Structure formats: structure tokens, C-alpha cells
Amino acid sequence: MESVKRRARVIVASRRAAAGIYADESGPILTEGIRNWGFELVESVVVPDGEPVSEAISQAISDEVDLVLTSGGTGLTPMDHTPEMTLRHVTRLVPGIAEALRLDARDHGITTGALSRAVAGVAGKTLIINIAGSPGAARDALRVLAPLIPHAVDQIGGGDHARS
């Protein structure tokens, strides 16, 4: 019996990268990580901060993507609205995921990780996780999330807890 291929999308929130002022560096790291987890990457998009992030999340939910990783827009600048755009769609928060990312930053001496307003939650059957916009944050998030994502996506899809 063939297993169902899980589908994922990366949404990068960056006004400057979307305008071509500089190349996005975190998106490629996340897409490689997603592929290494065995997910099919449906799409990776770079959009300006704000409303375009909400539109991209809405499209991912409509496309029935299993996992969305956002990159960028989680800080305190006036342009950082990714958590608010995510919360428009999420019906069930999964606070432990965002907490794990912040704790990992702290444990690795990245005190500014405490400033992240990232959220994680479920919208329909889509798990959405906000990640800070730096390449280092992307690499760290992949390491922290790797043992969580397969089980979380399985649970959202109606899977049962593994029996030991």
C-alpha cells in the first residue's frame, strides 16, 4: 500500500525580498528541510509583509496543504504582522511549538529569540508555524521541529497516538 505524500508550502514575509532588493535566504533552507522530512513542496512564495501573508496562508489552506512554514515578520518592527495574519486563520493554537522555538533560542544563547511573537496553530487540516526570518532561525527551527512535525501532521489528519 502506497503512503500518502504530505504536502507543504513555505511563505516568506519580506517586503525587500519580494521587491527584489535582496535575495531571500531563509526560504531555501526551509524548503530543503521540508523535503528532507519527506514532504512534497507544493510551493515557496515570497510576499511583502502584512496582508499578502494572510492571502498566501488562505491559499495554502484552500489548497489543503498539510504544513505551512512562514519565515519573517515575527518581530517588533512596525511591518511585522505575520502572527496577526496567521491568527486570522488558525482555529486551534499549538503554543508548545512556538514556545519550543523560543526556548531553543534561549538555550543556545540567542537572547533576542524572546522577542519573537511567532505563533503556531491549525487551520482546517493545515498546521501553520511562524519562524523568524533569518537563515540561522530557519536552520534552528528545522532542528527543533524535525521530531515534532510528522506526528503533529498525522494527528491533525486523524491519526492515533503510537502505541508503545
Side-chain angles (χ1 to χ4, degrees), residues 6-160:
R6 300 293 189 185
R7 300 168 3 128
R9 181 166 294 158
V10 172
I11 300 169
V12 175
S14 171
R15 177 179 41 85
R16 290 176 290 179
I21 295 170
Y22 60 71
D24 165 54
E25 295 180 12
S26 61
I29 293 167
L30 294 174
T31 59
E32 180 181 349
I34 285 170
R35 287 186 178 122
N36 289 340
W37 292 341
F39 281 74
E40 173 190 344
L41 183 69
V42 173
E43 185 178 28
S44 179
V45 297
V46 179
V47 297
D49 297 281
E51 193 62 40
V53 174
S54 180
E55 293 166 5
I57 290 171
S58 181
Q59 186 62 55
I61 296 164
S62 179
D63 291 344
E64 298 181 346
V65 171
D66 299 291
L67 173 67
V68 171
L69 298 182
T70 71
S71 174
T74 63
L76 300 175
T77 76
M79 295 300 298
D80 290 334
H81 295 286
T82 299
E84 290 79 9
M85 298 301 110
T86 301
L87 289 171
R88 288 182 179 180
H89 303 281
V90 168
T91 56
R92 294 172 30 191
L93 287 172
V94 187
I97 292 175
E99 291 166 8
L101 295 172
R102 284 186 279 274
L103 286 172
D104 180 73
R106 182 201 66 194
D107 292 348
H108 286 87
I110 305 166
T111 57
T112 55
L115 300 177
S116 171
R117 299 178 312 106
V119 298
V122 179
K125 291 195 173 195
T126 302
L127 176 61
I128 305 167
I129 302 170
N130 299 156
I131 298 168
S134 72
R139 284 189 290 275
D140 292 343
L142 290 171
R143 178 179 39 77
V144 171
L145 297 173
L148 303 174
I149 295 303
H151 184 64
V153 170
D154 186 53
Q155 290 285 293
I156 293 165
D160 199 2

